[in-house]
Each structure stands twice: as C-alpha cells, then as structure tokens.
Amino acid sequence: MTHRRLAAVLLVAVLAISHLTGCVGKATGAAQTELTVTGSTTILPIAEVAADMFHAQHPDLRVLVAGVGSSAGIESVVNGTSDIGTSSRDLKPEEKSLGLVDTPIAFDAIAVIVNPSNPVKSLTTSQVAQIFEGTISNWKGVGGPDLPIGLVNRDEASGTREAFSKIVLNGGAFDPKAAVLPGTGQVRSVVAVSPTAVGYISLGFVDASVKALTIDGVAPTEKSVADGSYPISRVLHFFTKGQPNPLSKRYIDFVLSDAIQQDVVRAAGFTPIKKGAK
Amino acid sequence: MTDSLPAPSVGEPVEPGRQETPTGSAGEGLSTISRATYVREAVLRNLFLVCACVAVAGVALIFLFVGWRGYPIFAKVGIGAFLGGGVWHPTQGDFGILTLIVNSLLATVGALVLGAPLAVGTAVFLSEVAGPRVRELVRPAVELLAGIPSVVYGFFGLVLLRPIVAKVFGGLGFGLFTVWVILAVMIVPTIAAISEDALRSVPDGIREASYAMGATKWQTIWRVLLPAAKIGIIDAIILGMGRAIGETMAVVMVAGNAPVIPNGIFAPFLTLTTVIVMDMPYAAGDHRTALFGVAIVLFIISMIFVASIRLVSRLGREVG
C-alpha cells in the first residue's frame, strides 16, 4: 500500500506544481488546457496511450495520467483533485451517493485457457475456483482424463491475477504450489505446449495456440462479454463528478472513438465497450 | 609552466603530456631512469591502486547499502522467524525464507552433482587425453559456454528443454530437474577451466614417475593426478557452487517460482535469487525490505563460499 500512498503524494506534488505554473489560465476564466486522470493501474495502458495521442492531436491540451489504484482514483475525483477517476471496480454502496457519473470505457474479460488437446471444454466458475485453490488437482475431477492438473498462475504484480482472484476466487487463496509466471505471453506459451496445463489470460490475448474454456455455459466472445453474460469479466470505468466538463468530455469521447477502442484497447488485451464501425 | 621545470633527460622518448606533471624531486636521486619514466611509473602504480580500491569500495558500498535497506526486516520479524519461517507470502505479512534457502541449496547441490563430474571430466580430457589439435577445438567451445548470457540459457530451457521434460516426465516441466540440467551446463566452464589449470600445474615428473612404475593412463589420472590436483579442483567446485546459487535469470525461467518446497523434482519452486527478480518490480514497504534481507542472506552465503576457498587453499599449502 505504501507505494500507492507515495504515488498519491507525488501526484499531489505534481498537481500543486501544475497549478502554480500551468493553470493560470483557469483562474482567469480561460478554457481549461490541462486534464488530470488518476486511478486504476489496469487502465493505465489505455489512458496513457490515449493521453499521448490526444496531446498529439491537440498540442495545446495536456492530459496528466497517474496510476494510483482504483480506490484512490475514485477518492481523488470525489474531492476534486482529479477531473477523471479511473476504476477497474464498480462503485461500493457508500460511494454511490457521491454524485459520480460513470462512463464505461472497456471490458476486462479473462479467459481460462487449456491446451487444445484437452478434452475438457467447459467448467463452472466454482470448478475454476476449486482448481486454482488446489482442491481439484486432477482433470478427472472435472470430467477430464486421469491426469494431474498443471496450474499456471501469474505473479502478484499482475492486474489480471488481481481481477481473476476477485471475480473467481472471491477472497480464496491461490494454491501456492502453482507455477508462477511473470507474463501473459509465458502463460500462453506454456499452456500451448503442456497438455495438462490450465492458466488464465486477458481475453484479448487468446489465440489459436490455446483453448479458452466455456464458463457457466457461456463461451468467452466479444458478444458474451459485451452483454454481460460471460462471468469472468469486469467493466473498466471513467468516473467524473457530475457531468464531465468540456475538456473531460473531449478526452472521454476520444477514448470512446474507434481509434482508441479498436486499436489501443485491443492491444492492451481488453474488449472494446463499443462495437467497431468495421 | 614547463619552462620552470628541469628538462627530462635527453634521448628519452617522452609523451608531451607527461613532462609537465609537477612532482617533487623524488626521482632525481635515480640516475638510471628519467624523470618522465619515473612519473609514468608512479602514475601507473597509483592507477592500479585506484582500480583495486574501486573493486573493494564497490563491494563495501553494495554490502552497506543492502544491509542498510535490509536490516529492518530482521528487527521487524526477527532473525529466527525470517531465516527459519517456512511461509513466504509477503503480501500477507509472512516473511519466512527457509523454504527459499532450502530450494536454493537443492538447486545448487543437484547442479553440482550433475555438473562437477562433467566439468572435471572435461578438464581431464583437455589436460591429459586430448591431442593439441582436439584441444584447440574443445577448449574454445567450453570457454564459449561461459560467454553465453544466462538469459539465453533460460530461454533455451524454457522453450526447448522444459517441453521435453514435460513430455517425458509429465507435469509442466518446471522444477528442480530442469534447473539442474541448465545449471549443470552453466557451471561446466568455470569448474573445467580452473580444474584444468590445477591438473596442468602438476609437474610432469610426477606423471613420468607414475608411468615408469607401470601405471596405465587411467591409473595415473585416477590415483596420481586427481589426488595431486584435488585442492585446485575443490576450489573450482566451490566457485561453481557460487555461480549456481547466484544464478537468477536462467533459473527464473524454468523454476516455475512457486514459494513452496517442491513436491518432487518436477514441481515448481522459488529460490533466493528468483524471488528478488520476481517481486522487486512491485514490492513495497516491508516486502521490499524483506527482499533486501534475502540479498543479505545471499551475500553471506557467497562470503562463506569465498572464505571456504581461502581455507581450502591454505590447507592445501600446509599439506603440500
């Protein structure tokens, strides 16, 4: 937690400096030229690239992006230090009365992947949880062959692991005997060549080398993610206090444009919130 | 400036930049070397001193820094709980590294059991068996092994060896066995080079005496040369151990990094070095301090290795 606090302190310092230097225009009533976006580190890849592209298109406008965690992002937009708070979780009940306006910008769907040769095609969420907690350790336990399950987990720095743990394990602990790999690519390549392996990666990174399992009867597709029926998925939010101000609106519209949704969002492994024009 | 100094001896080739160095008159008593030569010698001597000081200062600085950053963890969880605790789950406040120490030792010992005979065999081959032409072929190949970056070994292990291990023995292919094979190959050049030196430094008279007694080549190697060179070979093996226990990149890619004592040699495990490279990018607070604590432990282990090499060498001198 300390590094988040440190990041928050740094952010405040940056804001203070920017207020001293850059935002004189604001005080005199001119149009706002600087936008502050803080919050989820998961959303950072989208928000940062979008900010750079936005600045490239509008050289006079700057978007400051900081990854401090979803809760800190929501807090900062509530108390006015940020224009937009980004969050990879929904609002808690006590946050719902704070007047925040939600703009969903992408889905973060996680596929449970196995080797293409694995006869298992479909699992329930609770079976997935039991597999990753270590209670089911043989494929026989879920209707597969009599082979030990080769668990592949991500490292704790991974946002995917954090999301998977929250959505699937729901507070339970990962089996500590699982292999821990430091990247989506490694998880995928290991599962691709190991017949008994099971792992999880962002849906956007699934390719033909692995098989994404159907969960609770729903296959992970962009459609099932978008209509909310695929269970291992969460919505990535932009929160503003009240309706977005003009500059926030321009940035949010830019993030929702095809340029970001179809390229940047997909490249980061997420699922676009809007159907592409193509 | 130059005008006021006595001119260097005539006929000495002197670099123009050197002669204006204003030193005292220390060199004047020696008539055989010129002032410029003296200065050059003094500069070089001090340069080497500075080099040595930089190395020592580097070690001292690293040790101080690591110690300064890491010692709070000993105060926080206690040395006993840190070194003796079996649960490593830093994000939940469990900072026991016994599992990691045991895993590091398991990885090292296994690598030595596989790698040391291979390396000593290579050394014997290079020093006693191979003809000059074969030797000129094999030795550079072995030396090349030492030059391959460890991340390449790791990549090789991850992409090529691990799937083979997985296919033959089941499981994912991560684990002690895969690490042993990779580390064994990695420590061969270290052990082989030093062992070969040790074997070559055995005087030829001893070989000739052995053959003169009617001993065969094998008997000479096994009964005479290896015992005669054993101190050097033990040194070599300890250095190989140091390399194996400190290796990180190759291990992190094939170990599987599960913070438990592996249930068999084909199950994932985490070591002292790999935990640092896995956790450092995101560790904060006590977690980060604990990683520096792990670094202190690694430092102490390598100091023990160096000390034991010196001890072995001293014993060797006393015996020999």
Side-chain angles (χ1 to χ4, degrees), chain A residues 1-4 148 150-152 154-158 161 173 176-182 186 189-191 193-198, chain B residues 89-92 158 162-163 166 170-174 252-253 256-260 263 267-268 278-279 281-287:
Chain A
M1 285 317 284
T2 325
H3 74 304
R4 292 208 165 147
L151 270 187
V152 182
R154 283 294 309 280
D155 56 294
E156 284 191 82
S158 158
R161 170 173 168 149
K177 295 192 293 296
V180 178
L181 302 184
Q186 279 201 35
S189 65
V190 164
V191 172
V193 294
S194 310
T196 62
V198 58
Chain B
H89 199 156
T91 46
Q92 297 193 351
L158 177 69
R162 187 193 60 75
L172 294 175
F174 292 108
V252 78
M253 296 172 86
N257 313 314
V260 290
N263 173 22
M278 287 290 291
D279 288 11
Y282 71 96
D286 288 341
H287 187 183

Side-chain angles (χ1 to χ4, degrees), chain B:
Chain B
M1 282 297 289
T2 332
D3 297 3
S4 64
L5 284 168
S9 316
V10 187
E12 267 293 325
V14 173
E15 296 157 45
R18 294 278 189 208
Q19 63 196 53
E20 59 185 1
T21 318
T23 54
S25 53
E28 279 170 11
L30 300 165
S31 53
T32 46
I33 61 166
S34 72
R35 182 187 180 77
T37 309
Y38 177 80
V39 168
R40 194 159 51 214
E41 292 291 313
V43 166
L44 282 178
R45 208 167 44 237
N46 285 316
L47 194 69
F48 292 133
L49 179 68
V50 168
C51 292
C53 286
V54 167
V56 173
V59 171
L61 267 179
I62 292 175
F63 189 73
L64 283 178
F65 176 74
V66 167
W68 170 61
R69 295 296 303 271
Y71 89 90
I73 199 70
F74 298 117
K76 172 129 186 159
V77 302
I79 289 188
F82 186 66
L83 296 179
V87 181
W88 173 260
H89 199 156
T91 46
Q92 297 193 351
D94 296 319
F95 294 107
I97 64 165
L98 184 63
T99 310
L100 313 184
I101 296 176
V102 170
N103 286 351
S104 272
L105 293 177
L106 285 173
T108 305
V109 169
L112 279 182
V113 168
L114 287 179
L118 192 65
V120 174
T122 309
V124 168
F125 176 78
L126 285 174
S127 146
E128 309 300 326
V129 181
R133 293 189 56 185
V134 179
R135 186 172 353 179
E136 289 322 302
L137 209 71
V138 174
R139 190 188 285 138
V142 174
E143 282 166 355
L144 205 60
L145 277 183
I148 298 175
S150 57
V151 68
V152 175
Y153 280 101
F155 194 61
F156 170 83
L158 177 69
V159 181
L160 215 80
L161 183 62
R162 187 193 60 75
I164 295 173
V165 172
K167 187 158 273 174
V168 176
F169 299 102
L172 294 175
F174 292 108
L176 279 170
F177 181 79
T178 318
V179 169
W180 285 344
V181 173
I182 296 284
L183 282 181
V185 177
M186 291 183 78
I187 62 177
V188 160
T190 311
I191 301 182
I194 300 170
S195 301
E196 193 197 343
D197 281 349
L199 285 167
R200 287 179 166 275
S201 64
V202 175
D204 270 343
I206 291 183
R207 286 185 187 80
E208 283 155 12
S210 173
Y211 291 132
M213 303 276 287
T216 62
K217 187 147 213 162
W218 163 249
Q219 287 168 329
T220 305
I221 291 169
W222 187 246
R223 298 273 172 82
V224 178
L225 295 175
L226 285 178
K230 73 167 182 284
I231 297 295
I233 293 174
I234 291 172
D235 276 359
I237 291 174
I238 296 174
L239 273 177
M241 259 170 94
R243 169 116 213 238
I245 204 161
E247 182 46 50
T248 310
M249 279 323 290
V251 176
V252 78
M253 296 172 86
V254 290
N257 313 314
V260 290
I261 290 180
N263 173 22
I265 62 172
F266 301 108
F269 70 104
L270 185 70
T271 72
L272 288 170
T273 52
T274 52
V275 70
I276 296 180
V277 76
M278 287 290 291
D279 288 11
M280 206 44 119
Y282 71 96
D286 288 341
H287 187 183
R288 182 162 276 251
T289 310
L291 294 183
F292 279 104
V294 171
I296 295 176
V297 172
L298 277 168
F299 220 119
I300 291 170
I301 290 175
S302 82
M303 284 196 319
I304 292 173
F305 284 168
V306 172
S308 50
I309 290 178
R310 301 197 69 92
L311 193 71
V312 168
S313 304
R314 185 171 308 157
L315 283 178
R317 266 203 304 281
E318 278 165 13
V319 172

Side-chain angles (χ1 to χ4, degrees), chain A residues 72-147:
Chain A
I74 290 171
E75 197 183 313
S76 75
V77 71
V78 166
N79 65 27
T81 40
S82 303
D83 300 294
I84 298 173
T86 68
S87 170
S88 57
R89 64 165 172 82
D90 297 335
L91 291 180
K92 292 176 184 164
E94 66 268 25
E95 290 165 339
K96 285 195 170 143
S97 57
L98 298 172
L100 295 179
V101 172
D102 176 14
T103 312
I105 57 135
F107 295 103
D108 180 11
I110 300 168
V112 179
I113 54 169
V114 296
N115 191 272
S117 71
N118 194 322
V120 174
K121 286 192 169 54
S122 137
L123 293 173
T124 65
T125 313
S126 89
Q127 281 175 321
V128 175
Q130 288 178 62
I131 287 174
F132 278 90
E133 283 166 357
T135 19
I136 299 179
S137 58
N138 193 305
W139 284 110
K140 199 172 55 179
V142 291
D146 184 10
L147 284 168

Side-chain angles (χ1 to χ4, degrees), chain A residues 5-257:
Chain A
R5 203 171 304 143
L6 182 71
V9 169
L10 281 175
L11 177 79
V12 169
V14 167
L15 288 176
I17 292 166
S18 70
H19 272 276
L20 286 175
T21 57
C23 288
V24 187
K26 205 191 240 173
T28 57
Q32 183 189 1
T33 59
E34 216 163 63
L35 189 71
T36 311
V37 180
T38 54
S40 165
T41 48
T42 309
I43 300 174
L44 211 52
I46 301 176
E48 254 178 354
V49 176
D52 288 346
M53 290 167 66
F54 189 71
H55 180 60
Q57 286 183 13
H58 311 282
D60 52 324
L61 303 177
R62 282 167 46 81
V63 182
L64 300 174
V65 180
V68 293
S70 298
S71 296
I74 290 171
E75 197 183 313
S76 75
V77 71
V78 166
N79 65 27
T81 40
S82 303
D83 300 294
I84 298 173
T86 68
S87 170
S88 57
R89 64 165 172 82
D90 297 335
L91 291 180
K92 292 176 184 164
E94 66 268 25
E95 290 165 339
K96 285 195 170 143
S97 57
L98 298 172
L100 295 179
V101 172
D102 176 14
T103 312
I105 57 135
F107 295 103
D108 180 11
I110 300 168
V112 179
I113 54 169
V114 296
N115 191 272
S117 71
N118 194 322
V120 174
K121 286 192 169 54
S122 137
L123 293 173
T124 65
T125 313
S126 89
Q127 281 175 321
V128 175
Q130 288 178 62
I131 287 174
F132 278 90
E133 283 166 357
T135 19
I136 299 179
S137 58
N138 193 305
W139 284 110
K140 199 172 55 179
V142 291
D146 184 10
L147 284 168
I149 294 175
L151 270 187
V152 182
N153 201 354
R154 283 294 309 280
D155 56 294
E156 284 191 82
S158 158
T160 315
R161 170 173 168 149
E162 194 195 338
F164 187 83
S165 158
K166 267 189 199 143
I167 300 169
V168 179
L169 301 194
N170 204 6
F174 282 108
D175 181 359
K177 295 192 293 296
V180 178
L181 302 184
T184 297
Q186 279 201 35
V187 172
R188 190 176 58 192
S189 65
V190 164
V191 172
V193 294
S194 310
T196 62
V198 58
Y200 57 87
I201 59 176
S202 282
L203 181 58
F205 294 125
V206 172
D207 63 13
S209 68
V210 294
K211 185 169 74 179
L213 294 178
T214 297
I215 306 294
D216 294 341
V218 182
T221 61
E222 264 186 28
K223 189 168 169 295
S224 67
V225 170
D227 67 22
S229 57
Y230 181 69
I232 312 178
S233 164
R234 56 181 182 172
V235 177
L236 305 182
H237 308 269
F238 273 13
F239 287 113
T240 50
K241 193 165 191 185
Q243 288 304 317
N245 63 35
L247 183 56
S248 300
K249 179 100 174 63
R250 282 176 78 179
Y251 176 68
I252 291 173
D253 286 345
F254 182 68
V255 169
L256 293 176
S257 70

